[in-house]
């Protein structure tokens, strides 16, 4: 996994995890890469210093990469995401439509998950519909 520091056009900074460097470009081009704060699709990489380590420093670096507390929090976050997925109806690409129906009382109130474009996300937020991105997290944390 590759971790990039990212920033949107509104100066919100966040991290993104990608299986390879080309994933960033593919996700950005497809519109799937958006700012988790404001939903902006105008996202770019922030200049980062490379992490170069010697064989002797490798164990220390890995030990510092994820503390026990961070690992526990990560496990809890993954568990919460699993629970959200298990207790929500996946409405797929109909997410914006269903979210509006629920918000305006035209459909039964329930937890839903699905996909929405950055433009649709912005529109839902502007209408006062509370939504949040559901992160996809890497399986392995060392």
């Amino acid at each position: 996994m590759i971790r990039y520091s990212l920033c949107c056009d509104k100066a919100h900074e966040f991290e993104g995890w990608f299986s390879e460097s080309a994933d960033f470009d593919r996700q950005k081009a497809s519109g799937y890469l958006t700012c988790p704060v404001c939903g902006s699709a105008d996202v770019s990489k922030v200049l980062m210093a490379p992490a170069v380590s010697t064989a002797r420093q490798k164990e220390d670096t890995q030990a510092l990469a994820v503390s026990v507390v961070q690992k526990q929090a990560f496990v809890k976050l993954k568990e919460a995401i699993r629970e959200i997925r298990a207790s929500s109806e996946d409405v797929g690409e109909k997410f914006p439509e269903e979210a509006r129906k629920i918000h305006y009382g035209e459909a039964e109130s329930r937890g839903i998950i699905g996909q929405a474009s950055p433009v649709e996300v912005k529109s839902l937020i502007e209408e006062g519909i509370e939504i949040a991105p559901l992160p996809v997290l890497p399986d392995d944390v060392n």
Side-chain angles (χ1 to χ4, degrees):
M1 295 297 287
I2 300 171
R3 178 184 58 90
Y4 288 125
S5 290
L6 306 172
C7 185
C8 76
D9 60 332
K10 296 186 178 46
H12 299 125
E13 293 187 15
F14 56 100
E15 292 182 352
W17 290 83
F18 304 90
S19 62
E20 59 183 11
S21 61
D23 271 355
F24 171 83
D25 298 321
R26 281 193 293 269
Q27 289 184 27
K28 184 173 180 176
S30 68
Y32 288 123
L33 183 60
T34 60
C35 174
V37 177
C38 66
S40 172
D42 190 358
V43 174
S44 58
K45 296 177 195 173
V46 176
L47 184 61
M48 295 173 48
V52 178
S53 64
T54 64
R56 187 174 54 117
Q57 295 170 325
K58 188 173 182 180
E59 285 184 26
D60 292 340
T61 303
Q62 288 177 344
L64 293 173
V66 179
S67 72
V68 172
V69 172
Q70 290 170 323
K71 192 178 284 191
Q72 290 171 344
F74 187 80
V75 168
K76 288 179 183 179
L77 181 58
K78 286 180 73 172
E79 183 179 307
I81 292 170
R82 270 194 297 275
E83 288 180 24
I84 290 169
R85 289 187 182 282
S87 65
S88 300
E89 179 184 345
D90 189 343
V91 295
E93 293 179 2
K94 293 184 180 181
F95 180 83
E97 177 185 340
E98 281 300 309
R100 283 187 179 93
K101 285 181 182 178
I102 292 168
H103 180 75
Y104 294 113
E106 299 168 3
E108 161 192 356
S109 180
R110 65 198 190 283
I112 61 171
I113 59 174
Q115 295 86 39
S117 73
V119 171
E120 292 169 324
V121 167
K122 183 178 179 186
S123 179
L124 290 169
I125 292 170
E126 287 173 350
E127 288 180 51
I129 300 172
E130 293 184 16
I131 60 171
L134 193 57
V136 177
L137 302 174
D139 290 330
D140 191 24
V141 175
N142 293 324

